[in-house]
Amino acid sequence: MRALTTDLGVGFLDLEELSDEDRMLQTEAHRVAAEVFRPAARALDAMTPAERVAPGSPFFEVMGTLKSLGYHRLFLPPEYGGPPEPLSPLAQALVLEELGWGSLGLTTAFLTDMLPFSSIAALGSDELKQQLLVPWAEDEEGRFHGCWAITEPDHGSDFLLGIRDDMDRSSQRGQLVATRQGDGWVLRGQKSAWVSSGPVATHAAVHAQAGADESLHHSFYAVVPLDTPGVRKGAPADMLGVRDDPQGEIFFDDVFVPDANVLIGSGPLYAVFGDQLLCVTSTTIAPVAVGVARAAFEEALAYARNRVQGGGPITRHKNIQLTLYAMFEKIESARAYARQALEYVRRTSIAGIGGPAADPGQAPLGASPRHSRAAQIMAKRVAYEVAHDAVQVCGAFGLSRESLTEKLLRDARCLLIEDGTIEVLALDAARDLIDHYETSDYDFEEVMAQW
Ligand SMILES: Cc1cc2nc3c(=O)[nH]c(=O)nc-3n(C[C@H](O)[C@H](O)[C@H](O)COP(=O)(O)OP(=O)(O)OC[C@H]3O[C@@H](n4cnc5c(N)ncnc54)[C@H](O)[C@@H]3O)c2cc1C
């Protein structure tokens, strides 16, 4: 029924900027998205949560394929098998958009897999690199898989907004608490049911409150191998969308974490790091969301060219033409902004992560929270609006399980919550804007005097 068209995300920027290498990378990522991601994502979407995480599930096949193709090494430095020249931000955006076009869930799994290990590459000791990073980088079968365990049952937005918020932090007790023991920490508690790839992960990047009498914001960031005694997993969650990446709880029953695995200790640097990490995740998910939007647009366009109503293809009707145009305009704008924000954050965020302690009165170090959040919010909104319109263009077919638009709409809906709700991200951006946006020579008293 479906004939897929694709311009491979040819925004007007691409016409001038893409090198032969960029174009090859993009074409190959598109092949993986079309041939590996799409069929597996459809199959996983139709399975029960238990089936998705059972041995032999297409999820493991896809993750093994990505590892065999070396996708997990794409963002690593060359000494750990990454490309001889680090990928440019544009090349990163091209790959992320293509993968997002193929499947939001599988791309989320691909990204969360990388987080614990890329964190070790940036912040870990040589010993930890040999112990955890090297085996993961050399994995060609999908033996290892990472996840990001940040949110807790009672703390979703609290974690994302809390980093620079002025709410009463003392009342926010974490649900994963670390107690000092010898040369490390003992973790007790749990993370939320929404940890992407939680049920299948072998390693987690974990945020844990340091000390029972402290607050959530006195946390540290560590990498924990999930075969450590005391780790338990909850049943995989049954979600509306992003069903191709299983989410689930992780419980920690007195799990020992040596100091060597703590990448960022509790203290002022944790807030700087957390803020910069969110800048990186925001600008990483934005091109993925653009890919979701493009997938929906292309489905709608292909369908509209073929669907005959009123004596001809529905593309003859003005309402369909205007809808398709509006979708295109939104995608182009979101793509341009997402790429620019990613470029900016990749250039500046490391300075923030390695920089001096944050002073609450000063502008945040490194990458710009307001720009990275804005790029993420815009791309997520565009993905949802375009997926919504794509269903409308496709009529009843767009709502049927046979149609990809139905899945894309469910996935895009989840994007408005995944990695921070768009409202909370906007509040965080607004705070940065209000506190740090420079206005030129504005003298409030003088303006009032002239009134
Ligand atoms: C598909 C998916 C994948 C995910 N993957 C991961 C993962 O890999 N790791 C992980 O740890 N978590 C993950 N999450 C969890 C995700 O980060 C949270 O769902 C998100 O941060 C929102 O938290 P919450 O669901 O607890 O909602 P809540 O924080 O309870 O928010 C509920 C509502 O209240 C609003 N709200 C909350 N606080 C405020 C405030 N202070 N001011 C104004 N409004 C507020 C929100 O905007 C929202 O509308 C995932 C979620 C989804 C849907």
Side-chain angles (χ1 to χ4, degrees):
M1 170 85 195
R2 287 183 306 108
L4 266 181
T5 61
T6 182
D7 272 358
L8 279 190
V10 179
F12 66 94
L13 291 174
D14 294 358
L15 299 177
E16 287 168 15
E17 288 181 15
L18 284 199
S19 64
D20 289 348
E21 290 78 27
D22 286 343
R23 184 59 80 182
M24 269 170 54
L25 201 65
Q26 186 190 38
T27 306
E28 175 56 17
H30 185 75
R31 188 193 67 76
V32 170
E35 295 175 13
V36 181
F37 275 23
R38 282 256 171 120
R42 295 301 289 273
L44 285 160
D45 184 54
M47 289 176 161
T48 65
E51 286 168 346
R52 279 181 252 141
V53 300
S57 153
F59 180 86
F60 300 109
E61 217 172 296
V62 172
M63 293 304 133
T65 304
L66 288 177
K67 292 263 158 68
S68 71
L69 294 170
Y71 268 78
H72 62 309
R73 290 190 291 268
L74 269 184
F75 295 73
L76 281 182
E79 60 270 31
Y80 299 108
E85 286 295 318
L87 282 197
S88 69
L90 175 61
Q92 293 181 25
L94 292 170
V95 171
L96 292 169
E97 182 178 326
E98 291 316 311
L99 297 183
W101 176 93
S103 156
L104 174 61
L106 292 169
T107 308
T108 304
F110 162 68
L111 293 172
T112 54
D113 174 37
M114 287 194 291
L115 187 67
F117 304 98
S118 54
S119 300
I120 295 174
L123 303 161
S125 64
D126 287 345
E127 202 182 335
L128 196 64
K129 285 174 182 161
Q130 290 306 318
Q131 192 193 330
L132 299 182
L133 171 61
V134 170
W136 175 80
E138 290 175 351
D139 182 10
E140 303 258 310
E141 297 154 27
R143 286 184 297 133
F144 305 112
H145 194 88
C147 69
W148 185 20
I150 175 167
T151 58
E152 299 174 352
D154 292 348
H155 302 293
S157 305
D158 286 354
F159 253 108
L160 290 144
L161 196 61
I163 282 167
R164 277 178 304 118
D165 202 342
D166 54 5
M167 67 175 81
D168 178 11
R169 296 174 179 193
S170 58
S171 64
Q172 293 192 324
R173 298 276 185 224
Q175 288 166 293
L176 180 62
V177 174
T179 313
R180 193 76 192 144
Q181 188 181 92
D183 56 355
W185 297 87
V186 173
L187 302 187
R188 172 170 279 215
Q190 74 166 101
K191 287 295 173 178
S192 78
W194 326 124
V195 175
S196 297
S197 298
V200 294
T202 58
H203 295 74
V206 173
H207 299 248
Q209 178 182 308
D213 298 329
E214 298 289 348
S215 79
L216 186 67
H217 305 280
H218 192 78
S219 290
F220 61 71
Y221 177 74
V223 172
V224 182
L226 297 177
D227 60 357
T228 310
V231 174
R232 277 185 300 125
K233 305 276 191 71
D238 200 2
M239 307 287 276
L240 172 79
V242 200
R243 293 170 63 83
D244 24 6
D245 182 21
Q247 295 94 19
E249 288 157 305
I250 306 177
F251 298 91
F252 299 82
D253 303 335
D254 295 333
V255 174
F256 183 73
V257 179
D259 284 335
N261 288 39
V262 176
L263 300 178
I264 296 285
S266 57
L269 188 57
Y270 175 77
V272 179
F273 166 74
D275 184 51
Q276 296 296 291
L277 181 61
L278 294 183
C279 288
V280 172
T281 57
S282 285
T283 49
T284 303
I285 203 72
V288 176
V290 172
V292 173
R294 200 185 99 218
F297 168 71
E298 290 176 2
E299 288 294 315
L301 179 61
Y303 183 85
R305 282 174 175 157
N306 290 289
R307 174 69 176 166
V308 174
Q309 288 295 288
I314 58 171
T315 45
R316 282 199 201 155
H317 305 311
K318 291 281 180 281
N319 53 327
I320 299 292
Q321 292 169 11
L322 291 174
T323 302
L324 290 170
Y325 167 72
M327 292 160 111
F328 167 79
E329 185 189 85
K330 286 177 183 175
I331 294 167
E332 289 291 313
S333 312
R335 176 188 290 129
Y337 194 20
R339 287 184 185 174
Q340 198 175 17
L342 187 137
E343 208 275 332
Y344 178 63
V345 165
R346 291 294 188 271
R347 236 181 330 110
T348 53
S349 65
I350 298 301
I353 290 174
D359 173 344
Q362 282 182 355
L365 298 164
S368 161
R370 57 181 176 272
H371 289 107
S372 48
R373 305 293 186 276
Q376 180 186 10
I377 294 163
M378 181 180 181
K380 283 173 156 189
R381 257 201 215 120
V382 162
Y384 180 65
E385 288 169 10
V386 169
H388 185 271
D389 286 349
V391 168
Q392 198 67 15
V393 168
C394 295
F397 175 71
L399 292 170
S400 74
R401 293 272 176 191
E402 267 176 68
S403 138
L404 184 61
T405 47
E406 175 267 346
K407 177 179 185 297
L408 290 167
L409 180 59
R410 285 186 285 113
D411 286 350
R413 184 63 189 83
C414 293
L415 264 178
L416 303 182
I417 294 173
E418 180 178 351
D419 275 330
T421 67
I422 54 166
E423 300 84 12
V424 162
L425 291 166
L427 287 170
D428 189 38
R431 177 163 297 278
D432 181 36
L433 194 63
I434 291 161
D435 289 350
H436 303 299
Y437 190 100
E438 296 283 342
T439 47
S440 57
D441 299 335
Y442 184 85
D443 186 333
F444 182 72
E445 300 297 333
E446 196 182 307
V447 173
M448 286 299 115
Q450 285 171 5
W451 228 35

